[in-house]
Structure formats: C-alpha cells, structure tokens
Amino acid sequence: MRNLRRRLADSGQPLLLVTHLPNIQYLTGFSGSAGVLAVWPEKAWFWSDGRYREQARREVHGARAIIKRGSVYAAVAEAIRPARQVAVEAGHLSLREAKLLLGDVRRARPAEDWIEAQRMQKEPAEVAAIRRAVRLASEVFQRLLRQLRPGMSETEIAGKLEYGMRQAGGEGTAFATIVASGPNSALPHAHPGRRRAGRGEPLLLDYGVRLGGYCSDMTRTVCLGPAPARLRSIYAAVLEAQMAGIAAVREGVEAAAVDAACRRVLRRVRLAQYFSHSTGHGLGLEIHELPRIAAAPTPPRGRAGRGANAGRAGEDVCLKAGEVITIEPGVYIPGWGGVRIEDVVRVTARGAEVLTPSPKQLLEL
Ligand code: ZN
Ligand code: ZN
C-alpha cells in the first residue's frame, strides 16, 4: 500500500479505484467476492456489503472498511465525487461499472498493471505460501501414481486429483484441472472428458491447488504401461527443453531469453513448430500473473488478449529476484497427443530455485 501510494502521488492523480478482487486482497487481505477499494495518497477506504461484515472486520488491514446496506457503487460514487480525475484499473473495470462509479466516464484515467507490477516480486511470506501449495500438489501426484490404471476415465482421474487436494487441506483448485489422454493431450487446455486412458499413450495432468490464498501449478505427462519409442523421444526433447529453460532463469535475464532457451532445444529436433504457447507465467494469488515468459511482444490489449498470460509491454522485461514463475514447454502433435512438463521456480540472483519436488523422468506405470 505504501508503494502504491508513492506511485499514485507520482502520477499526479488524486486517487486510484481498485476493483480487481485479487488486487484488493493483495493490498488489504480481504478475500471476499465483492468490494471496491479507493486509495488516496494519504488514506484508503474499502466498501463491501452486509454479507461481508464479519469477514471485512477480520481481514481488512490498512484501509477503513465500510459496510453498505444499499448499493456499494453508489456509496463509492459519492465518496469520490469531488475528484475531477480518477485512476482506474483499465484492464479490470467494465464500462457499466465505470458509469456507476464515475457517472461521467471521461473522469477515468487508465492505471494499467500498477498493482500487478508490484505483485510480481513476492514477499517472503508469499513465497512460503506458494511453496506450501506446490508441495501439497506434488504429494497428491505421488499418491495418484499408485492409483492410476488403464481404463480410468479422464474425469475420474481429475476427480482423484481434486479430492486429494481437498483432503490434504486445499481451499480449492487453482484452475480447472486438465487431464488429457492419448490424442486429447494434443490440446494444451483440454477439458477432462469420458475418454479412458489407454496403455502406451501420453496421459497429461495439469492442475493446481489454492492454499493460504496462493496458487500452485504443475504438469506431468505419464504413460500407463511401457512407452512407445515416439513418446520416449518426444518426452526426452520436452524434458531437455524444460531443463534448458530452468537453466536460463536468473535475475537480470530477459524473459524472452528463457523462452528462447526452451525453443532452441525443440528446434534442434524439429519439434519447435509443435510448441504452440508461451513458456511460462508468474503465479501467486492468481494462477496467471506477470511476468509473461514469452518471445513475442504482447499484442494490443483487449479482452481477446487477456486470460492465460495477460501481458505487459513486451517481454524484453528482465527477470528480478523474488519473482515466482512457471517453466512449461510442451509439444502437441494433432492426432497423436502431447507432452508438457511444468515446474514452479523462484528467480534468484544466482539462478532458478525449483520449488516443485516431483520427479521428471518419464514414468511408465
Ligand atoms: Zn499448468
Ligand atoms: Zn502454468
């Protein structure tokens, strides 16, 4: 909050409206699903409704919490009425909300990624929370390995993962669990369906848990029964690419250079064309945070470009110590299947600290 106030003062804007809930949680601790935060250089006010009276009392720090019986937006609008200009989270505020809050939307001034930029560098307590989440998910993976059998459906396997995370104390999944068998694993973001996992085909598992508010994210690709030669060779290439990406991580290195390190390995074995997404992303309170580990500069911002790796201006941005990111190259061959390996790593001055303890050799179960 202190850093944000400094940035606000430098911007010359009288106040910032924070409407993105993970940013509100980051700044105040409030983890509920409705609320608006206004930050002035000298104070911060938070509004929510009656459902969150007790939760706001318990959680909100560093801001005055106001619980409204009527419309929260009307109360915020009233409080910020004197300001001629209002900085808003342009990537998160809908036009409808802007009208309700500001009346005249011409008062709005875009404040893009102010808080997201701060969130990139994790405080020690945040790293500890991510570490716990990553460890929990890895333990669930170890337990799942003993239960996997050919003929299990993708949804059944997803169910075992999700039950395991809950049973171990997880607050929920960090994102929709991906379990993709055989040709389905050629879809990087496949939804688990009724298909049954067969012997000798790739079985891709990408899932995460939320623990203490923070996300984990891991992908492993395994094989039920002995792996055919093609799976072995593609797996070996993806693993080498992933290790090359991790080896490239260090404070001061461009994010694009980490992406290039992965692609270089796959290009050598003529698989680069099948690596159809970016190499990784930051994670924390949200599953996809900055920085984006990718080659190309971010396309113009808009709804279509958001989600998976909502970007910032270009990937010429250098990694900084304290950032926590994923490294997750993959190869996806239509009609055959795909292989992805994903770990969470912490950027340090000397290199990457891999937080994910799960083994990475090809498991034939
Ligand atoms: Zn993932
Ligand atoms: Zn990921």
Side-chain angles (χ1 to χ4, degrees):
M1 190 71 96
R2 211 167 26 238
N3 292 341
L4 181 64
R5 288 217 177 110
R6 206 170 303 137
R7 171 131 198 203
L8 180 62
D10 291 346
S11 78
Q13 302 298 331
L15 76 117
L16 168 68
L17 269 190
V18 186
T19 47
H20 187 48
L21 287 163
N23 284 342
I24 293 176
Q25 183 173 6
Y26 179 72
L27 291 167
T28 71
F30 179 74
S31 66
S33 60
V36 177
L37 176 71
V39 179
W40 288 266
E42 70 289 350
K43 64 179 180 183
W45 288 7
F46 169 76
W47 293 263
S48 191
D49 60 69
R51 293 171 297 170
Y52 294 105
R53 185 180 300 279
E54 178 60 14
Q55 191 172 340
R57 198 184 60 76
R58 285 192 199 180
E59 292 182 341
V60 175
H61 295 280
R64 181 181 153 200
I66 303 159
I67 299 298
K68 292 308 292 184
R69 249 168 227 247
S71 162
V72 165
Y73 282 4
V76 180
E78 183 61 35
I80 65 173
R81 196 184 306 279
R84 273 223 340 272
Q85 295 181 348
V86 178
V88 300
E89 294 186 284
H92 298 296
L93 186 67
S94 74
L95 183 55
R96 187 182 69 91
E97 291 164 332
K99 280 179 176 162
L100 286 170
L101 291 165
L102 303 170
D104 182 353
V105 295
R106 285 173 299 185
R107 291 166 72 207
R109 293 292 176 276
E112 302 235 14
D113 295 339
W114 283 13
I115 304 164
E116 283 82 350
Q118 286 186 207
R119 282 170 52 189
M120 280 198 283
Q121 253 168 310
K122 268 59 185 179
E123 310 272 337
E126 297 186 281
V127 176
I130 295 170
R131 205 185 287 275
R132 278 193 292 273
V134 164
R135 229 177 258 154
L136 187 154
S138 291
E139 285 162 18
V140 170
F141 178 70
Q142 290 308 124
R143 228 169 295 140
L144 177 79
L145 292 179
R146 294 194 290 270
Q147 304 173 345
L148 283 177
R149 301 281 179 270
M152 278 183 176
S153 71
E154 293 168 351
T155 52
E156 194 179 349
I157 296 167
K160 286 185 187 299
L161 283 171
E162 293 178 3
Y163 180 74
M165 291 189 278
R166 277 296 200 178
Q167 201 179 29
E171 290 143 18
T173 56
F175 56 94
T177 302
I178 296 169
V179 174
S181 63
N184 289 352
S185 57
L187 284 65
H189 274 185
H191 297 290
R194 292 185 179 195
R195 191 180 187 281
R196 296 184 180 279
R199 292 171 64 84
E201 51 181 37
L203 176 62
L204 188 153
L205 314 161
D206 185 356
Y207 64 100
V209 69
R210 200 177 288 274
L211 186 65
Y214 282 78
C215 296
S216 75
D217 189 2
M218 75 180 273
T219 308
R220 287 293 182 270
T221 308
V222 302
C223 184
L224 304 182
R230 192 180 193 191
L231 177 50
R232 281 170 180 277
S233 69
I234 290 175
Y235 192 96
V238 173
L239 181 55
E240 193 188 336
Q242 206 251 1
M243 301 295 274
I246 291 172
V249 169
R250 189 168 16 89
E251 177 167 46
V253 167
E254 284 182 9
V258 175
D259 183 84
C262 291
R263 271 172 228 281
R264 200 174 303 125
V265 171
L266 295 175
R267 203 171 304 122
R268 217 182 50 223
V269 289
R270 296 202 181 83
L271 289 172
Q273 72 203 88
Y274 301 110
F275 177 19
S276 47
H277 53 72
S278 54
T279 287
H281 53 87
L283 81 170
L285 287 170
E286 290 179 278
I287 185 60
H288 292 123
E289 298 189 356
L290 300 177
R292 184 173 184 257
I293 313 300
T298 313
R301 300 179 60 107
R303 279 286 156 194
R306 298 181 43 73
N309 277 311
R312 57 181 164 180
E315 313 322 326
D316 49 347
V317 183
C318 291
L319 298 178
K320 292 193 193 67
E323 294 180 348
V324 178
I325 60 175
T326 69
I327 302 292
E328 50 177 306
V331 162
Y332 312 93
I333 299 177
W336 177 77
V339 172
R340 178 166 67 251
I341 304 168
E342 175 181 28
D343 286 334
V344 173
V345 310
R346 183 173 71 96
V347 181
T348 77
R350 282 187 302 251
E353 183 202 355
V354 179
L355 303 188
T356 312
S358 299
K360 285 195 281 199
Q361 78 274 22
L362 176 57
L363 297 173
E364 297 162 298
L365 306 165

